[in-house]
Amino acid sequence: MSTASSGFKLSEWIFTTDHKRIGILYLIGSIAAFAVAGIMALLIRIEQMSPGATIVSDVYTGGEQYNVWLYFHGAAMILGFLIPGLTGFAANYLIPLMIGAKDVAFPRINALSVWLFWAGIVLALLTFVVPDKPDVMWTGYPPYSIKTGGNLALYVFTVHLIGFSSILASVNFLVTIIYMRAPGMGWMQLNMFIWGCFTALIIQLVFVPVLAAAVTLLLFDRYLGTHFYDPANGGDVLLYQNLFWFYSHPAVYVIFLPAMGIFYEIYATMAKNRIFNYKAAVYGMIGIVLVSGEVWVHHLYYSGMPDWIRIGQMVTTLLISVPVGLMTISLFGTLYRGAITFNIPMYYGVAALYLLLIGGLTGIPLAMTVMSVHLGETSFVHAHFHFIMGIFAAFSVFAAVDFWFPKISGRMLHEGRAKIGFWLNFIGVNVTFWPLFIIGVDGMPRRYWDYSQFPAYFGNYHKVATIGAFIVATGMIITISNWLLSAVSGAKASNNPWGSKSLEWTHTETPPGPGNFPQDVVLDGNWSPYNYSK
Amino acid sequence: MKRVVSVMAMLGLGLTALLAHAAAPVPDPAASWNHLWRDVLIDLFIIGAVFLSAGLYWVFKYRATREGQVGEGPQLTKLAAIGFAVIPAFLFMADDFYLAAKGWTVWNEYRNVPRNAVEVKVTGSMWTWSFEYENGVTTIFDPDSKTGDGLVVPVGKPVVLRMNSVDVVHSFFLPEHRVKEDLMPGRVTYLWFQPKAVGETIATCAEYCGNRHSFMWTKVKAVPQAEFDQWLANMKQGGKGA
Amino acid sequence: MANSASGHGHVHHWETSVAPLLIVGGVLFLVVFGFIGWFSYNSAMLAIVSAGIGTPLLLAGIAKWTGEALTHKPLVEGLSPIALPIFIVSEVFIFLSLFAAYWTMRLSAGPDWPPAGTPTNMNLRLPIIMTVILVASSLTYHVAEVKLEHNDRGGFITWVLISVVLGAVFLACTVYEYSHLMHMKFSPSTNAYSSIFYSITGFHASHVLVGLGAFLTVMLAAVKGLTNQYLAFCVGLYWHFVDIVWFFVASQVYYW
Ligand code: HEA
Ligand code: HEA
Ligand code: CUA
Ligand SMILES: [Cu+2]
């Protein structure tokens, strides 16, 4: 271990350009966003526990409070927690280690990215400080977002800062992956996680600018009096929705691809097995990049778009099940004839089997135009995306922290506490979101804090969901505090506690010092991160 | 067999539209929706069950039994690798096209408004719905006091709504009839439904529109044709509705 | 300096740089808080204070960054020539989104275009002149690059300077045109066309400005004797990109 890594120097953290430290800065920000957004979720759940005003002041102004919670919850969970948690923390920490590089291509730009992200978090948190709290939801549809008294600029700049941060990060990592692989490392020898990031970053590079443009025009309409989204003066309301979803649908794969990547790594390592049909999974990922830009209209099935587009994109959306299906086969197949050890990352891994199916398959009825015309904008959609994103992908972040914990902190995670956390999380999310499927099919709309007009039994389901949310909250508090406790008091970890074959375990110290690798990494054509049985 | 037919139908796009019309003289979109929903659930349940049981079975079966054991996952030959990609891909595609064709047939029912439909103009505003009938009668419903007629429709006759918003985006959502469509300034959108039995239900706003979004709902009342005509005539005279 | 990526041998200390944090602080205060102060809270005070904090931070950050980057002699040949094209892909998509906005409005308006409020006597000769200027600047910069290849540093500096002047003239044309149009009561809020007109041309102009900044950077570096093909190539690539975008801007926004 090098001398420099002994002792904690604050300036070496805040001015750092080292990818590992930047990754940890991302993780701190993203977990902070998750915690605050999670507390908002609890407020939402308490309010929805019964029809009528539960904790909001009254029926006339209650919406103002609720809508701010929901705005923050949605925006922070996606922009503040998952995207930075995966393409920020996990990508930063792991990409150079997995490809045998000393750092990313542009360390200083990397530092710029992480602080831009943090600036976005600060701005998002200002929501709770300013008098005119933004209430435009994470989607920010005009004309409402232009007419509301809420502070639109806060929303737009949060998107800008985090968006610009992701564009820079994409450029940085794409160059890193393309040009800084260890000598001898071919494309078909890459870790699945690297492929997940590579494909996700391409999507990010191409689509984030579209979002940036969409919200910039929103800003102009609101503050400079332009008429982009104003039909009375030649603008078009649907233009925003099209631009927004042209970005935001691919954005879900920015989350999904690295999340899958993490589970491939965990399965392969814990089952000591090769990835089943590696190439099919890789082409599946590339396939997703190719189709992800042609499906956005599935968020606009009932928005008055021309009928032929609604039908055309129903077909393209359904076809996404082909590449995802190939990835799923590889993922599940990795267990086949493995030698599986059950420890905490693998607990999350087994849960992922089920979460991926529930979340992914419920996307299918939504993808069918005619089904969506009833199911869309109901809590069925909530249940769909919480399962695939709020649980499957969020679990991938927790699993990643647990899996690479020994490498990152140099200490072992306390398994007992982690397992209690896991079970509470897993049971809690099911109790929370299954009821939402059911009342969603019966017509419970989204973004409603009062639902007195609906049959009384909706209230019972909402109550169950609220109980579930508190179970998750308990689980999360245990999980997060376990990280903190184990990082200071866990047993010392060896360099490769899981016996993995991947570079970040085999060729580094624990935790890795500056420059990552004590010796330059050189590989041959037979090397594979999954070479367990030869 | 049905599947094959549907897949072919999907390819011969124009033809199915005609067939669907000939085969279903009295379309009932909501019933078709319920029917399709059942089919989709079965389809998805089968896929989910196959994958999940395989996954869980392997997790259970291939636990490591001794220290240092490694997995023996098959090293696929080139042919096997291609087979394991292409065959499932075609199976998935077949299912996708099957679902698409089914969905498309019902969708046609949704979009082709029967000629004898009663037409009502709907205007959305923050945060009320107002309905204007062909003879100029306008009604609204006030969710706070629960007064007003809201949307009154005759049973047994299709009803088409031509919709527009004066301010922000709203969405007219009729859960019972399995339809919704957005309203926005600068465009007229439509949806139609088939009231089948006398009774009351609700329509509610499904596109976020601010503070009182959850209170933007209206009563929807289906009455026999005679009563409907009577009501319209009364309203026209400025009288009170039923 | 943080150049471990391209460094030789092993790094034994944690690399740091103050520049990124300074720049982010600068952007946050100058751009974000400045805008919010001015527009959301109509407070000149808030805007000025924010800008007062942000500007020095930003300038310090940029100075520090260029200082750190331009100290090696000769400059390290990094991966920028690969990174820049990738970044440009994302720029292309911003422009595409703006054009998509334009096309949507243009097509849905049909024959009612341009909408009421647009001056009938828009100056359509100026854009041609501007096109000529911009193309010329691309050519002059190319000459500069050739000079550099022949190790003619003086020639390089001269020709970059000429390109800078051309770029500046282009911007001056934009300023002239804007003030002229504003005078004719054609402002961003006049109608849908004015909205997109100012957005696209303004966004393009901002790129010209960044390009000029890049020109000045290579020029100063060259004056200090610090320059290399890679840096010059990157700057040129960016400038040619800005040039090509202008063709689309001009042909679509002015003449369609
Ligand atoms: C990580 C995030 C994530 C992911 C991966 C997905 C994946 C998918 N989503 Fe989801 N979705 C969201 C996040 C995500 N979604 C969010 C956040 C929203 C709401 C946004 C908002 O309005 O606020 C949303 C909303 C949403 C809608 C709009 C609903 C509406 O508002 O009306 C639709 C409609 O098509 C949809 C469909 C799909 C489909 C088809 C997939 C597919 O990719 C799923 C593919 C996976 C499988 C199919 C399972 C595995 C495959 C097999 C086992 C093979 C065999 C299967 C078949 C042959 C079917 N999603
Ligand atoms: C990653 C994405 C993500 C995640 C993880 C979650 C997690 C949760 N979500 Fe959310 N949700 C969204 C993304 C996500 N959500 C989005 C995009 C929307 C749509 C917004 C919109 O409509 O615009 C939405 C909307 C949404 C609604 C819809 C409200 C409405 O439309 O009216 C509801 C309601 O139940 C809900 C609930 C929950 C709950 C209970 C959780 C729980 O799982 C949360 C559990 C977490 C916690 C409770 C935090 C625990 C931590 C602490 C308590 C701090 C401890 C700190 C230390 C120890 C240091 N979410
Ligand atoms: Cu009107 Cu929501
Ligand atoms: Cu989508």
Side-chain angles (χ1 to χ4, degrees), chain A residues 163-301:
Chain A
F164 199 51
S165 154
S166 343
I167 293 177
L168 292 179
S170 307
V171 175
N172 208 344
F173 289 126
L174 287 174
V175 176
T176 307
I177 296 175
I178 299 174
Y179 284 94
M180 295 175 66
R181 279 168 290 135
M185 183 186 277
W187 283 97
M188 288 298 152
Q189 288 166 292
L190 293 184
N191 283 77
M192 285 306 292
F193 177 72
I194 300 291
W195 271 112
C197 287
F198 186 72
T199 44
L201 293 168
I202 293 177
I203 295 180
Q204 218 170 41
L205 180 80
V206 172
F207 292 100
V208 173
V210 180
L211 175 69
V215 295
T216 307
L217 301 185
L218 211 53
L219 199 70
F220 288 172
D221 267 14
R222 168 74 174 266
Y223 296 103
L224 307 181
T226 57
H227 305 288
F228 290 102
Y229 305 132
D230 165 18
N233 284 291
D236 186 342
V237 176
L238 285 183
L239 173 64
Y240 178 84
Q241 300 185 16
N242 278 296
L243 290 176
F244 181 86
W245 289 113
F246 188 66
Y247 156 78
S248 285
H249 179 79
V252 308
Y253 298 118
V254 171
I255 294 169
F256 181 70
L257 292 165
M260 284 293 273
I262 286 169
F263 285 119
Y264 282 113
E265 299 304 331
I266 292 175
Y267 281 24
T269 304
M270 295 312 172
K272 300 278 176 296
N273 213 354
R274 58 167 59 88
I275 304 288
F276 180 82
N277 213 353
Y278 174 95
K279 280 190 182 166
V282 168
Y283 289 126
M285 287 180 162
I286 296 171
I288 288 185
V289 176
L290 297 180
V291 277
S292 67
E294 290 91 44
V295 301
W296 78 94
V297 174
H298 67 230
H299 295 272
L300 287 85
Y301 278 155

Side-chain angles (χ1 to χ4, degrees), chain C residues 9 14 31 40 67 74 77 79 86-87 96 110 140 244 249:
Chain C
W14 295 104
V31 181
S40 295
E77 55 178 79
L79 290 164
I86 296 182
F87 179 70
L96 270 180
T140 54
I244 291 169
V249 177

Side-chain angles (χ1 to χ4, degrees), chain A residues 31-372:
Chain A
I31 295 296
F34 172 73
V36 182
I39 291 167
M40 294 301 111
L42 295 181
L43 293 176
I44 290 169
R45 287 284 4 125
I46 298 172
E47 177 48 51
Q48 286 197 333
M49 197 158 67
S50 57
T54 313
I55 48 171
V56 299
S57 45
D58 64 81
V59 293
Y60 283 95
T61 55
E64 289 166 16
Q65 296 161 293
Y66 184 85
N67 296 339
V68 174
W69 303 336
L70 187 52
Y71 157 75
F72 190 90
H73 174 70
M77 279 293 188
I78 296 182
L79 298 173
F81 164 52
L82 270 188
I83 294 184
L86 291 161
T87 60
F89 153 67
N92 250 298
Y93 200 91
L94 296 169
I95 289 178
L97 290 179
M98 282 183 172
I99 64 173
K102 291 195 177 72
D103 204 322
V104 296
F106 305 98
R108 243 184 264 107
I109 291 184
N110 204 12
L112 192 64
S113 298
V114 74
W115 291 118
L116 281 171
F117 156 63
W118 267 93
I121 296 276
V122 168
L123 212 55
L125 287 173
L126 282 182
T127 298
F128 303 113
V129 179
V130 298
D132 47 350
K133 304 189 187 332
D135 64 341
V136 298
M137 299 297 142
W138 84 283
T139 45
Y141 280 10
Y144 181 72
S145 56
I146 295 167
K147 285 181 201 257
T148 171
N151 195 330
L152 178 69
L154 225 48
Y155 165 73
V156 171
F157 282 117
T158 304
V159 172
H160 274 161
L161 289 171
I162 296 181
F164 199 51
S165 154
S166 343
I167 293 177
L168 292 179
S170 307
V171 175
N172 208 344
F173 289 126
L174 287 174
V175 176
T176 307
I177 296 175
I178 299 174
Y179 284 94
M180 295 175 66
R181 279 168 290 135
M185 183 186 277
W187 283 97
M188 288 298 152
Q189 288 166 292
L190 293 184
N191 283 77
M192 285 306 292
F193 177 72
I194 300 291
W195 271 112
C197 287
F198 186 72
T199 44
L201 293 168
I202 293 177
I203 295 180
Q204 218 170 41
L205 180 80
V206 172
F207 292 100
V208 173
V210 180
L211 175 69
V215 295
T216 307
L217 301 185
L218 211 53
L219 199 70
F220 288 172
D221 267 14
R222 168 74 174 266
Y223 296 103
L224 307 181
T226 57
H227 305 288
F228 290 102
Y229 305 132
D230 165 18
N233 284 291
D236 186 342
V237 176
L238 285 183
L239 173 64
Y240 178 84
Q241 300 185 16
N242 278 296
L243 290 176
F244 181 86
W245 289 113
F246 188 66
Y247 156 78
S248 285
H249 179 79
V252 308
Y253 298 118
V254 171
I255 294 169
F256 181 70
L257 292 165
M260 284 293 273
I262 286 169
F263 285 119
Y264 282 113
E265 299 304 331
I266 292 175
Y267 281 24
T269 304
M270 295 312 172
K272 300 278 176 296
N273 213 354
R274 58 167 59 88
I275 304 288
F276 180 82
N277 213 353
Y278 174 95
K279 280 190 182 166
V282 168
Y283 289 126
M285 287 180 162
I286 296 171
I288 288 185
V289 176
L290 297 180
V291 277
S292 67
E294 290 91 44
V295 301
W296 78 94
V297 174
H298 67 230
H299 295 272
L300 287 85
Y301 278 155
Y302 33 79
S303 303
M305 294 285 283
D307 285 350
W308 63 271
I309 304 185
R310 303 194 221 191
I311 289 303
Q313 298 226 339
M314 160 170 82
V315 178
T316 48
T317 304
L318 285 170
L319 285 176
I320 288 199
S321 65
V322 176
V324 178
L326 294 181
M327 288 166 63
T328 310
I329 293 179
S330 290
L331 186 70
F332 284 38
T334 301
L335 299 169
Y336 175 65
R337 294 176 62 186
I340 304 168
T341 321
F342 289 96
N343 47 18
I344 188 67
M346 198 57 199
Y347 273 47
Y348 282 101
V350 176
L353 290 173
Y354 152 86
L355 297 171
L356 169 63
L357 289 171
I358 302 296
L361 291 173
T362 50
I364 297 299
L366 291 173
M368 297 170 66
T369 314
V370 73
M371 294 274 102
S372 196

Side-chain angles (χ1 to χ4, degrees), chain B residues 185-201:
Chain B
R187 257 173 225 241
V188 176
T189 53
Y190 74 92
L191 60 79
W192 79 274
F193 61 99
Q194 181 82 268
K196 273 165 303 203
V198 172
E200 256 185 45
T201 181

Side-chain angles (χ1 to χ4, degrees), chain A residues 498-518:
Chain A
W498 315 131
S500 173
K501 295 279 181 184
S502 184
L503 280 188
E504 84 275 20
W505 297 106
T506 52
H507 283 59
T508 64
E509 289 168 339
T510 288
N516 293 345
F517 297 95

